[in-house]
Amino acid sequence: MRLLVTGGAGFIGANFVHAVVREHPEATVTVLDALTYAGSAEALDPVADDITLVRGDVSDTELVNALVSESDAVAHFAAETHVDNALADPEPFLRANVIGTFAVLEAVRRHGVRLHHVSTDEVYGDLPLDDGSRFTEATPYNPSSPYSATKAAADMLVRAWVRSYGVRATISNCSNNYGPYQHVEKFIPRQITNVLSGRRPKLYGTGANVRDWIHVDDHNRAVWLILERGTIGRTYLIGANGERDNLSVMRTLLRLMGRDPDDFDHVTDRVGHDLRYAIDPSLLHDELHWAPKHTDFESGLEETIDWYRSNESWWRPLKDGVEANYAERGQ
Ligand code: NAD
Ligand code: DAU
């Protein structure tokens, strides 16, 4: 299979490329990535001899068309992904997430290429904190932020291209990922690298908000399965029953790093902050027999802490700039 991976130099995309090279040597992998502030060619260093990396924008229709014409399938990860950045400046999110997905759709339509579109549970909005409800494939879209609104728009384009043009596409909406190579602007790596660089961790508001954590490798195994065996036109929700409130995650991280669990700062809350996400992954279990392998969140966090300890040269150059941005926003 000739596989085109958009956004393959980002957190989830790079881990996906590593897994494909490791587990599916029959696949030929080309990565298209703009190498924005969130992309890292270094994240692909371990597989550099096994793949082709093309630096370019996913909204560049000519480039995308040329790359898709030489592919059998596309795994579309490329996006602007950080909610706080979207709140500060939504424009790049419209371009990458909406126009970028449009460019991919037009190219796969023209060349009859299989597409898997990677999306997020944030398109469903949020859930009340304590009622035990979960998102399903039938939950109505109700995005809260410019980020989730652009991801929702992209999902809608994919659905329309399947129905109107017979494009062979699937969609997955996954919950919060953690693991190696996640940018230090995101919650878990931000706190780990704050401790490692002598800063105090930062919790938005009271930390009551709940996220449903999944290891990035479990997400990516689901993406591969859907690409291989998913039903065209179908949406799959990916989650690993990993609900935790932010305060608990913060305290666990501090404990695992040998610190006082209360040694952090409460900072300005995110505007419009989604309360709770939770995924019902039954369809994925029942139809594709997927199940997460990383079921012990605490040992997943320990491995992730170890990874950041051992890979300081990867994250250190990013850290000061990210913290300067946060400081400007009072976060
Ligand atoms: P990331 O921000 O770490 O990486 C995004 C990658 O896309 C980067 O390499 C960046 O350079 C590239 N990119 C951005 N704009 C581009 C453009 N215009 N053209 C080409 N490349 C561009 O993001 P991530 O966390 O790895 O997320 C990957 C995908 O998974 C996204 O579609 C995101 O919405 C989705 N997702 C993420 C999570 C999560 O918890 N991180 C959960 C569910 C779904
Ligand atoms: O649910 C999937 C989504 O998960 C993906 O679609 C997004 O791309 C990804 O960024 C993530 O979105 P969140 O907004 O949930 O992730 P983030 O890491 O930014 O924040 C997780 C929670 O932690 C959220 O409730 C905000 C809070 N937070 C975040 C940061 C950066 C803090 O309390 N302190 C922080 O410093």
Side-chain angles (χ1 to χ4, degrees):
M1 188 210 278
R2 296 169 303 166
L3 183 60
L4 177 65
V5 182
T6 74
F11 161 46
I12 304 175
N15 280 287
F16 180 75
V17 170
H18 288 202
V20 172
V21 168
R22 198 170 54 234
E23 289 155 28
H24 305 282
E26 73 285 2
T28 309
V29 179
T30 300
V31 169
L32 169 64
D33 199 295
L35 297 178
T36 68
Y37 81 93
S40 153
E42 294 76 29
L44 294 171
D45 278 350
V47 291
D49 293 340
D50 305 298
I51 66 160
T52 305
L53 171 59
V54 177
R55 183 173 193 169
D57 199 300
V58 72
S59 63
D60 177 342
T61 48
E62 236 171 80
L63 174 62
V64 170
N65 186 57
L67 293 172
V68 167
S69 74
E70 296 161 357
S71 306
D72 302 308
V74 180
H76 177 38
F77 291 87
E80 287 286 342
T81 63
H82 192 38
V83 173
D84 296 313
N85 293 343
L87 291 165
D89 179 14
E91 196 273 340
F93 290 71
L94 270 294
R95 203 159 22 84
N97 302 2
V98 183
I99 304 299
T101 301
F102 168 69
V104 170
L105 281 166
E106 284 294 81
V108 295
R109 170 159 88 103
R110 178 177 297 177
H111 299 288
V113 167
R114 170 82 169 91
L115 168 67
H116 180 68
H117 172 66
V118 178
S119 190
T120 169
D121 59 357
E122 295 197 20
V123 299
Y124 298 114
D126 61 357
L127 298 164
L129 275 185
D130 294 319
D131 71 351
S133 57
R134 298 199 291 177
F135 299 133
T136 73
E137 286 76 8
T139 302
Y141 275 38
N142 187 25
S144 317
S145 74
Y147 163 65
S148 52
T150 57
K151 291 297 291 188
D155 293 8
M156 292 302 166
L157 293 179
V158 176
R159 290 181 183 195
W161 262 241
V162 170
R163 167 99 183 237
S164 300
Y165 302 121
V167 160
R168 291 181 301 129
T170 40
I171 300 175
S172 56
N173 298 83
C174 187
S175 59
N176 284 64
N177 286 221
Y178 72 96
Y181 294 110
Q182 187 166 28
H183 197 279
V184 295
E185 69 189 351
K186 302 284 167 68
F187 179 56
I188 288 176
R190 184 182 184 203
Q191 313 317 331
I192 296 171
T193 56
N194 274 359
V195 172
L196 294 179
S197 63
R199 296 171 167 95
R200 283 169 66 80
K202 310 285 185 215
L203 187 69
Y204 293 177
T206 62
N209 307 64
V210 171
R211 296 295 182 263
D212 187 354
W213 294 99
I214 181 172
H215 193 280
V216 63
D217 288 344
D218 284 328
H219 179 185
N220 281 330
R221 275 190 311 106
V223 168
W224 180 268
L225 268 182
I226 297 165
L227 197 49
E228 247 189 357
R229 296 201 264 119
T231 305
I232 297 302
R234 192 158 281 180
T235 287
Y236 296 86
L237 265 56
I238 309 174
N241 299 318
E243 279 186 73
R244 297 281 186 294
D245 64 75
N246 293 341
L247 176 61
S248 306
V249 175
M250 177 69 93
R251 290 175 60 96
T252 306
L253 284 170
L254 282 163
R255 180 169 51 75
L256 293 174
M257 297 186 79
R259 300 298 166 108
D260 180 335
D262 292 319
D263 200 9
F264 63 86
D265 296 329
H266 289 274
V267 293
T268 313
D269 206 352
R270 177 181 283 172
V271 294
H273 197 168
D274 280 342
L275 284 176
R276 183 171 71 91
Y277 306 141
I279 291 273
D280 177 355
S282 304
L283 180 64
L284 197 58
H285 285 271
D286 297 346
E287 189 185 307
L288 299 180
H289 310 298
W290 172 91
K293 288 186 175 164
H294 295 262
T295 48
D296 181 346
F297 182 55
E298 198 161 311
S299 65
L301 285 183
E302 271 180 307
E303 280 171 29
T304 305
I305 293 167
D306 286 347
W307 189 87
Y308 281 90
R309 272 195 216 286
S310 310
N311 289 276
E312 188 165 336
S313 60
W314 182 79
W315 59 264
R316 180 63 83 162
L318 312 170
K319 185 67 185 169
D320 289 349
V322 165
E323 289 307 318
N325 275 341
Y326 274 126
E328 266 179 36
R329 299 175 196 160
Q331 293 179 319

